[in-house]
Amino acid sequence: MRAKKLFFLAASLLLMLSAGLIGCSSKEEPTHQEGHAVHQEQLPGGDILETTAGPNALPSFLNGFDPQVAKVYQAVGQNHEIVEHMACYCGCGESVGHKSNRDCFIQEVKPDGQIVWNSHGTTCANCMNIAAEAIVMKQKGKGLLEIRQYIDNKYKEGFAKPTPTPMPQA
């Protein structure tokens, strides 16, 4: 029953994303690198890291996924400063050393704007839900501390131990 509820929550959040509730700084559609990645490597746990030019140049590992997954990745790329303050509750803190929900999607944002994407988010409804909820709430004017408290309260029971993410400032 929990999996069914998560699926419907993820579907409704993704529908909000596709309906344009999340503002993007660019009107460009997400584009996949299609073999033109700057760099790609597979981590021991199976996740893939891929470097692209920025948030509108999405990683090729998204090819074959529902287009809504790419929209969440693009939203995270353009709003990584929001999800870096959100804990993740999928167990990735202990299993792969993630420090926040951002790490499920992005390993690093380089000074020149290149993004090292992480495929972990493609495998986890919790990761997708937390990112989408946080970004939508921020777009609706909520503060980072309020969003974080909402996420922590929502996921405190029945989910894995949270990542060791510092609380945002009020």
Side-chain angles (χ1 to χ4, degrees), residues 84-95:
E84 74 185 17
H85 294 288
M86 302 304 134
C88 190
Y89 287 80
C90 78
C92 62
E94 293 182 331
S95 65

Side-chain angles (χ1 to χ4, degrees), residues 29-109:
E29 288 296 313
T31 58
H32 299 278
Q33 291 292 311
E34 297 177 5
H36 302 321
V38 175
H39 177 74
Q40 188 180 73
E41 70 178 279
Q42 187 162 4
L43 299 176
D47 290 340
I48 298 169
L49 299 180
E50 184 174 324
T51 304
T52 71
N56 291 319
L58 296 177
S60 63
F61 62 69
L62 292 174
N63 294 342
F65 280 96
D66 185 294
Q68 302 307 329
V69 173
K71 286 183 185 264
V72 172
Y73 265 80
Q74 185 177 32
V76 169
Q78 293 176 339
N79 296 279
H80 58 85
E81 70 286 348
I82 296 168
V83 294
E84 74 185 17
H85 294 288
M86 302 304 134
C88 190
Y89 287 80
C90 78
C92 62
E94 293 182 331
S95 65
V96 292
H98 288 177
K99 303 293 185 214
S100 73
N101 182 247
R102 184 195 91 150
D103 294 345
C104 301
F105 301 90
I106 295 175
Q107 171 99 3
E108 175 187 4
V109 177

Side-chain angles (χ1 to χ4, degrees), residues 126-145:
N126 288 351
C127 301
M128 297 287 280
N129 289 340
I130 291 167
E133 287 176 299
I135 294 168
V136 168
M137 289 178 73
K138 184 65 175 166
Q139 293 294 325
K140 289 183 176 182
K142 305 293 183 193
L144 290 176
L145 184 58

